[in-house]
Amino acid sequence: MTRTPKNNCNFRLTVRDGCVFKEVFLSRAIDRDSLIALGYYGSVARLNNRLTKLVGGRYLRRIAFPTRPTSCQSVYLLDREAIDIVTRLVDFDRCEIARVARQEPTRAFIEHSLLIVQLRLLIEQDARRRGYKVETFGHEALVRHEYVEVVRGKQFRRIVKPDAYVAVVHDGVRHHMFLEADRANVSIAQERRSYERYARYANGVFADAYNADSFNVCVITLGGGRRVSHLLNQTKNIEQPKFRFATLDAVRREGFFGAVWESSGICSPTSPFVEPVEVSR
């Protein structure tokens, strides 16, 4: 994919640059350390140099995002010169990619996007440590699903928007999970409506879309035990799918697969896994 940029910047784009643009588009916002952790660059110095060029060429935007009262973190978003490149790399309408490249992100948007990237890295790191295989990580933009549900002869447009989808294989078994990152800033009533959308999705639509019978919804909250209890109560009347709740602190401390997960209808803490489905050989 090596080519000369349209602007006057004195460098050539590479295949890796295109992969970075795609990653930034799907993640919406990402920091430098996460790009390194995801394997795009092995050297901080080389990455800093390249990001400076890509920002100068208007392929990426860099914003200073406050992390503490006296410090900031550089966060990268897609910019206008990368629109056509990303359009060739992903199955999205160019207008949608352009909208993402031109939007002005809010603080909440950036915090949420960075949290999803952090969860992805925690999952992949813990999976490697335990010998699991992360077969698929699907960003929200790739796994949101609009469909039509027929109820008593009437059609209703439905949508399910997971923060991410993860398929993990362990001991020949594939586990399907949707991730929800709870920053503890949304009302319990709103969370309950989100869980009800998953309940409708589990009624045959998921099976048709993913060729699988069942899935879990793993909710990771920035809140504490009380927040987990409140969220857990919203799922007690939902038979399918199964919901798992854990705090971000526990996931960081014990690993995604080793953390204590709470689930309605299960007396003792459990794992994030759903009932196993054997992988076809």
Side-chain angles (χ1 to χ4, degrees):
M1 197 193 91
T2 301
R3 69 182 186 87
T4 303
K6 296 178 183 177
N7 51 44
N8 295 322
C9 292
N10 187 27
F11 68 95
R12 298 178 68 84
L13 294 179
T14 66
V15 172
R16 180 163 54 186
D17 292 330
C19 293
V20 169
F21 300 157
K22 178 181 176 181
E23 184 67 55
V24 173
F25 167 70
L26 292 174
S27 299
R28 297 304 194 244
I30 197 167
D31 62 290
R32 182 201 64 185
D33 291 347
S34 294
L35 285 171
I36 291 177
L38 289 169
Y40 289 105
Y41 294 88
S43 162
V44 172
R46 287 181 60 196
L47 176 56
N48 285 341
N49 179 62
R50 196 62 182 174
L51 288 175
T52 298
K53 290 183 177 181
L54 295 176
V55 169
R58 302 298 299 271
Y59 295 96
L60 296 177
R61 284 183 287 163
R62 177 167 52 211
I63 61 173
F65 184 67
T67 54
R68 296 184 181 88
T70 58
S71 63
C72 291
Q73 171 185 28
S74 291
V75 174
Y76 297 87
L77 302 94
L78 200 69
D79 208 348
R80 63 188 186 188
E81 292 295 335
I83 294 172
D84 288 336
I85 298 170
V86 175
T87 301
R88 293 194 293 270
L89 295 175
V90 297
D91 187 21
F92 280 84
D93 184 79
R94 187 184 185 280
C95 292
E96 169 63 13
I97 298 170
R99 183 192 67 79
V100 170
R102 291 166 182 154
Q103 69 180 353
E104 291 300 324
T106 64
R107 180 183 180 88
F109 176 89
I110 294 174
E111 287 178 344
H112 189 78
S113 298
L114 295 179
L115 177 56
I116 300 305
V117 175
Q118 180 184 160
L119 289 174
R120 175 185 179 184
L121 292 171
L122 288 169
I123 290 170
E124 292 181 349
Q125 290 164 4
D126 199 30
R128 285 194 296 270
R129 185 164 57 247
R130 298 172 186 273
Y132 302 169
K133 178 184 178 183
V134 178
E135 192 175 61
T136 305
F137 183 93
H139 299 77
E140 183 270 334
L142 296 173
V143 300
R144 63 182 295 165
H145 189 180
E146 298 183 44
Y147 63 97
V148 174
E149 182 183 34
V150 179
V151 180
R152 298 175 183 173
K154 295 184 178 181
Q155 292 187 343
F156 297 89
R157 298 190 67 84
R158 308 291 194 195
I159 184 170
V160 62
K161 297 192 298 180
D163 285 329
Y165 160 77
V166 185
V168 178
V169 174
H170 171 50
D171 285 344
V173 172
R174 181 180 292 115
H175 303 271
H176 301 269
M177 296 174 281
F178 288 114
L179 301 184
E180 288 291 338
D182 170 54
R183 295 174 50 243
N185 62 344
V186 175
S187 71
I188 295 297
Q190 286 178 274
E191 292 291 341
R192 181 173 63 251
R193 289 192 290 272
S194 173
Y195 302 160
E196 289 169 350
R197 286 193 286 271
Y198 278 114
R200 287 192 294 267
Y201 196 57
N203 190 24
V205 182
F206 169 81
D208 292 340
Y210 289 84
N211 193 29
D213 294 329
S214 57
F215 64 94
N216 272 1
V217 179
C218 296
V219 182
I220 303 95
T221 180
L222 271 63
R226 178 176 293 185
R227 179 72 174 181
V228 169
S229 296
H230 289 325
L231 296 175
L232 191 60
N233 286 337
Q234 309 311 307
T235 66
K236 61 185 179 182
N237 294 323
I238 299 178
E239 292 187 6
Q240 290 293 335
K242 297 301 182 184
F243 289 83
R244 306 286 196 256
F245 298 89
T247 65
L248 180 60
D249 285 344
V251 171
R252 285 172 172 164
R253 186 175 59 251
E254 307 294 339
F256 183 85
F257 301 100
V260 172
W261 294 82
E262 303 289 342
S263 182
S264 181
I266 299 178
C267 297
S268 58
T270 184
S271 80
F273 288 144
V274 74
E275 291 300 315
V277 178
E278 289 190 6
V279 176
S280 58
R281 302 290 182 180

